Amino acid sequence: MDKDLARLIERMFAGLNHQSAAASIPEPETLSDLLSSQVILAHPTQMLHPQPKVVTYFATAAVEMWQRSIHSFLISASLTKASPVWASVSGYYSSHYSMRAFAHLFGFFRLHRKKRIARLDNEGGGLVLRFDKRNANDGEHKFYWRVVSQHPQLASDPFFYIFRDDISESDGAHRAKANYSDHIDQFPVFLPLDAQFLAERVDRIATLVISDVPVPNADDFPDADNVQFVAYHRLVKFRQLLDEILGTKNRFWRVHRNPPWRPEKMNFSVVDPVFAALYADR
């Protein structure tokens, strides 16, 4: 465990112990609007001491984005047979939302309209908020996948890597094909969503035995098995990280770690022996 990261996360979540967890998710765009209001466009770089509410909003933004990942994963799993194209699209976005959730947890936030990267970090006995002008390589997907995969906490984890869309074997190329290619022409007879099918699909993904991390491949589109498999493991890893740092002592995380709208049998499990073995030779 990265000790600096643990200290940062504990500071982010500390304020959430003093309010009702049920009503603690702020209004849409609260964090982005608050950060944007502090940007001085004439200054390519700024450093300031963050307001306590800004620190807290990084925590709530991370958890809400993680829940968005879960919801997208469930949509993907539900649509596996009914709509292979949308199963692929929503499966990719489940992974992307997990990347964003990790990035916010690590203190990063990309401001689109203000063209800045906000970074919350430890400094001495407190915290500092830094704004840097973003560069041409800081697009939404490239930026978040890069800062997460290069962070010391996840740099050696094979489920996390930079965003690429220039090779077929990549999440990025798979997304591009799903969103932008013409004549995909995959329209099976539409079947109503089935709760039993969803439960069985989630259980299959959670218990799947693997020998290596499968990367979605655009040549095998829609490749739902691999898209959903990596998405599921990424969202499970977010929950495991917060459980390791916060446990159940934080009121907010204790409530939100098990979204009430998830399927009853979705318990965020993975096949531990095989899962752990992935890292033994790396």
Side-chain angles (χ1 to χ4, degrees), residues 43-82:
H43 299 170
T45 298
Q46 294 172 250
M47 291 185 68
L48 57 145
H49 293 293
Q51 301 167 269
K53 60 183 178 181
V54 170
V55 177
T56 297
Y57 291 156
F58 268 90
T60 54
V63 172
E64 190 277 336
M65 194 64 67
W66 172 69
Q67 292 187 343
R68 209 181 300 185
S69 172
I70 298 170
H71 207 270
S72 296
F73 168 77
L74 294 173
I75 291 171
S76 177
S78 297
L79 293 175
T80 302
K81 291 184 178 179

Side-chain angles (χ1 to χ4, degrees), residues 8 44 66-67 100 108 145 158 178 194 196 226 234 252 279:
L8 175 64
W66 172 69
Q67 292 187 343
R100 279 200 59 172
F108 293 95
W145 288 59
D194 184 290
Q196 182 61 32
N226 288 339
R234 287 162 177 161
F252 175 82
Y279 307 97

Side-chain angles (χ1 to χ4, degrees):
M1 168 59 63
D2 185 305
K3 292 182 179 179
D4 286 339
L5 174 63
R7 185 163 62 251
L8 175 64
I9 291 173
E10 288 170 348
R11 287 168 168 168
M12 282 183 186
F13 281 81
L16 292 166
N17 259 331
H18 309 298
Q19 55 184 284
S20 169
S24 53
I25 298 292
E27 292 296 313
E29 301 185 1
T30 295
L31 178 56
S32 58
D33 287 347
L34 188 55
L35 291 173
S36 295
S37 70
Q38 299 178 68
V39 171
I40 301 174
L41 293 177
H43 299 170
T45 298
Q46 294 172 250
M47 291 185 68
L48 57 145
H49 293 293
Q51 301 167 269
K53 60 183 178 181
V54 170
V55 177
T56 297
Y57 291 156
F58 268 90
T60 54
V63 172
E64 190 277 336
M65 194 64 67
W66 172 69
Q67 292 187 343
R68 209 181 300 185
S69 172
I70 298 170
H71 207 270
S72 296
F73 168 77
L74 294 173
I75 291 171
S76 177
S78 297
L79 293 175
T80 302
K81 291 184 178 179
S83 177
V85 173
W86 277 103
S88 179
V89 172
S90 53
Y92 168 80
Y93 276 97
S94 174
S95 279
H96 180 61
Y97 293 145
S98 284
M99 294 296 185
R100 279 200 59 172
F102 273 111
H104 300 335
L105 198 63
F106 295 166
F108 293 95
F109 199 98
R110 178 184 178 276
L111 295 171
H112 174 67
R113 289 187 291 273
K114 293 292 184 176
K115 296 180 171 57
R116 293 292 187 276
I117 301 299
R119 173 77 190 274
L120 181 69
D121 204 358
N122 298 303
E123 184 175 88
L127 294 168
V128 64
L129 180 62
R130 179 186 177 101
F131 293 98
D132 290 299
K133 191 172 183 179
R134 73 169 196 257
N135 60 45
N137 199 38
D138 287 335
E140 162 86 9
H141 298 262
K142 288 184 177 180
F143 172 74
Y144 282 122
W145 288 59
R146 184 177 69 248
V147 296
V148 169
S149 64
Q150 293 179 351
H151 192 278
Q153 179 64 29
L154 298 175
S156 62
D157 189 325
F159 277 95
F160 297 89
Y161 39 79
I162 63 172
F163 177 91
R164 293 188 63 177
D165 56 10
D166 58 332
I167 57 174
S168 293
E169 190 177 17
S170 66
D171 297 72
H174 203 81
R175 164 187 174 261
K177 185 163 186 174
N179 283 340
Y180 309 123
S181 293
D182 56 274
H183 294 90
I184 290 178
D185 193 31
Q186 295 197 31
F187 305 110
V189 174
F190 188 83
L191 301 174
L193 303 187
D194 184 290
Q196 182 61 32
F197 174 82
L198 174 59
E200 292 174 357
R201 184 71 180 171
V202 172
D203 183 67
R204 178 178 181 274
I205 293 168
T207 58
L208 191 64
V209 177
I210 61 170
S211 59
D212 203 356
V213 176
V215 179
N217 194 318
D219 291 340
D220 298 325
F221 184 87
D223 200 13
D225 284 350
N226 288 339
V227 170
Q228 293 167 5
F229 183 84
V230 294
Y232 178 74
H233 274 261
R234 287 162 177 161
L235 67 86
V236 167
K237 283 171 172 289
F238 180 94
R239 188 174 185 268
Q240 290 174 334
L241 178 61
L242 277 186
D243 278 352
E244 182 178 354
I245 295 173
L246 301 176
T248 57
K249 64 186 178 182
N250 184 272
R251 178 187 299 179
F252 175 82
W253 179 239
R254 187 167 62 246
V255 170
H256 289 280
R257 65 188 293 274
N258 287 315
W261 39 260
R262 81 194 193 285
E264 183 180 352
K265 293 185 178 180
M266 185 179 183
N267 59 7
F268 304 99
S269 63
V270 291
V271 183
D272 287 327
V274 175
F275 190 61
L278 288 174
Y279 307 97
D281 299 325
R282 293 175 184 264

